[in-house]
């Protein structure tokens, strides 16, 4: 007998992951359910359609016209896969852990929003604009998560795998904590299970860099050799020491790191890309003084309109 098609999860076609699931409101009469779709459709996520993934390499590789929006969807997909795989080892390592749907939803939403604070020209913008305010795009992302989309995050009650427990509420503070890669002196105020999940977003082999290595190489047309993401995820687990990879996964990790290194040498730090950055720098500060002479944290609605 054919199983009914689920109406609370939809699909996005993607050239890297084939299909990306995301939760949508159930079609019951009078339903006002908030789901991942509401976050994806929010102005802050839609803004990423107009932020290029590669700040200047797109002028070297003409097909690299993809955006941070596409990358964020891919990272969300991989974060969900990670969550489902590491959850049993996380539950064995820490006594009190939320439900699997909670952990899955938390990691998926974190990955979806991890780049939401990027400005035009991405990391170039970090180094030559945000740093004057002591900020990075991650700090801006945290502000957006807390103050712009936090009310939506709190209302999400499902992941693609299931429904959160009745007492569970997604906390925007947890999402903000997970995306910041800098050491946080206040880590102790966050639960142990959450701290153990942090390297899945900001570590050496994450949902973020898995997606951008695959996506950037594909969109640039650059051959990087085999990258075995399913094997890497399969051999990843949580132990009392933190995020751990089994020795059987080390060859796959080595292949991934070599592929990432190749991209840095031949795409991200391509000599022409760097030359373009240097030329851009000659006019960048004066231009920003004209179009956006503000600290983004104090002018969020203006920042919403600042794109490539």
């Amino acid at each position: 007998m054919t199983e009914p098609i689920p109406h609370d999860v939809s699909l996005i076609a993607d050239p890297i992951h084939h299909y990306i699931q995301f939760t949508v409101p159930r079609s019951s009469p009078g339903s006002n359910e908030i789901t991942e779709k509401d976050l994806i459709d929010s102005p802050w996520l839609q803004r990423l359609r107009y932020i290029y993934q590669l700040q200047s390499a797109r002028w070297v590789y003409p097909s690299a016209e993809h955006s941070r929006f596409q990358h964020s969807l891919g990272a969300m997909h991989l974060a969900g896969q990670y969550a489902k795989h590491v959850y049993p080892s996380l539950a064995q390592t820490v006594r009190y852990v939320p439900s699997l749907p909670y952990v899955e939803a938390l990691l998926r939403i974190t990955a979806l929003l991890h780049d939401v604070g990027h400005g035009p020209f991405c990391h170039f913008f970090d180094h030559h604009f945000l740093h004057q305010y002591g900020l990075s795009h991650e700090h801006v992302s945290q502000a957006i998560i807390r103050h712009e989309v936090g009310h939506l995050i709190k209302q999400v009650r499902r992941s693609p795998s299931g429904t959160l427990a009745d007492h569970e509420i997604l906390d925007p503070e947890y999402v903000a904590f997970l995306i910041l890669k800098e050491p946080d002196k206040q880590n102790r105020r966050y639960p142990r299970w959450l701290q153990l999940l942090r390297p899945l977003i900001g570590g050496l082999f994450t949902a973020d860099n898995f997606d951008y290595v695959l996506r950037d190489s594909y969109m640039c047309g650059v051959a990087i050799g085999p990258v075995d993401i399913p094997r890497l995820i399969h051999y990843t687990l949580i132990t009392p020491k933190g995020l751990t990879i089994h020795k059987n996964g080390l060859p796959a990790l080595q292949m991934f790191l070599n592929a990432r290194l190749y991209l840095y040498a031949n795409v991200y730090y391509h000599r022409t890309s760097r030359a373009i950055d240097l030329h851009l720098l000659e006019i960048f500060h004066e231009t920003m003084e004209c179009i956006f002479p503000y600290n983004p944290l104090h002018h969020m609605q203006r920042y919403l309109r600042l794109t490539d």
Side-chain angles (χ1 to χ4, degrees):
M1 183 176 179
T2 304
E3 294 185 2
I5 298 174
H7 294 291
D8 54 6
V9 176
S10 193
L11 298 175
I12 296 171
D14 181 74
I16 306 303
H17 307 297
H18 304 299
Y19 288 103
I20 294 172
Q21 290 187 327
F22 65 103
T23 58
V24 298
R26 293 191 170 106
S27 56
S28 55
S31 173
N32 294 315
E33 183 185 15
I34 300 298
T35 63
E36 291 170 343
K37 180 180 185 297
D38 294 276
L39 287 167
I40 293 170
D41 288 344
S42 70
W44 286 101
L45 256 296
Q46 290 298 311
R47 170 181 175 272
L48 295 185
R49 289 181 182 270
Y50 309 103
I51 302 288
Y52 287 104
Q53 171 75 1
L54 300 180
Q55 60 194 44
S56 50
R58 60 192 172 92
W59 283 303
V60 179
Y61 298 95
S63 61
E65 293 286 320
H66 54 306
S67 69
R68 290 277 161 179
F69 180 74
Q70 297 156 11
H71 164 59
S72 296
L73 293 174
M76 176 186 72
H77 169 75
L78 290 172
Q81 291 189 339
Y82 246 145
K84 289 184 287 186
H85 180 74
V86 304
Y87 184 81
S89 60
L90 177 67
Q92 288 180 348
T93 302
V94 182
R95 186 172 182 181
Y96 298 107
V97 179
S99 66
L100 171 58
Y102 183 98
V103 172
E104 182 187 12
L106 178 67
L107 284 180
R108 282 172 58 87
I109 289 172
T110 300
L112 179 67
L113 297 172
H114 79 284
D115 274 348
V116 74
H118 261 305
F121 300 102
C122 293
H123 294 286
F124 181 94
F125 187 80
D126 277 43
H127 297 312
H128 300 292
F129 184 79
L130 292 180
H131 280 193
Q132 67 182 309
Y133 301 109
L135 301 173
S136 68
H137 73 275
E138 291 155 347
H139 294 107
V140 181
S141 295
Q142 286 187 316
I144 294 168
I145 288 164
R146 288 174 175 136
H147 307 301
E148 304 295 333
V149 299
H151 64 290
L152 296 175
I153 294 172
K154 291 178 182 178
Q155 296 179 75
V156 173
R157 299 292 307 153
R158 284 189 290 114
S159 73
S161 294
T163 303
L164 278 60
D166 291 341
H167 65 280
E168 293 177 336
I169 298 175
L170 289 171
D171 190 342
E173 277 298 323
Y174 286 1
V175 178
F177 168 76
L178 287 173
I179 66 168
L180 191 61
K181 298 174 184 176
E182 299 172 1
D184 189 342
K185 295 179 181 179
Q186 299 181 340
N187 277 2
R188 292 181 181 178
R189 69 187 180 98
Y190 295 100
R192 176 64 175 158
W193 64 265
L194 186 67
Q195 296 180 44
L196 289 170
L197 291 175
R198 199 179 199 182
L200 293 177
I201 302 296
L204 182 63
F205 48 105
T206 69
D208 174 21
N209 54 34
F210 283 172
D211 184 81
Y212 76 64
V213 166
L214 293 174
R215 192 172 303 277
D216 293 352
S217 61
Y218 176 86
M219 297 304 295
C220 288
V222 172
I224 57 172
V227 176
D228 197 345
I229 302 302
R231 187 176 182 88
L232 274 169
I233 293 177
H234 178 78
Y235 283 112
T236 299
L237 65 157
I238 303 291
T239 68
K241 293 184 178 181
L243 186 66
T244 304
I245 187 165
H246 189 275
K247 64 180 181 180
N248 289 352
L250 291 178
L253 177 61
Q254 184 179 24
M255 286 195 302
F256 169 72
L257 294 177
N258 285 337
R260 187 182 174 197
L261 177 63
Y262 186 88
L263 279 182
Y264 271 91
N266 294 280
V267 175
Y268 308 137
Y269 292 144
H270 189 283
R271 63 186 184 280
T272 306
S273 297
R274 307 318 293 165
I276 291 170
D277 288 346
L278 291 174
H279 283 297
L280 179 62
L281 186 58
E282 294 176 1
I283 62 169
F284 187 74
H285 294 293
E286 291 83 357
T287 302
M288 292 306 299
E289 282 296 318
C290 293
I291 65 174
F292 193 84
Y294 313 111
N295 182 331
L297 299 188
H298 302 155
H299 297 271
M300 295 302 287
Q301 290 307 306
R302 289 178 182 266
Y303 192 69
L304 177 62
R305 299 189 294 271
L306 186 66
T307 65
D308 282 324

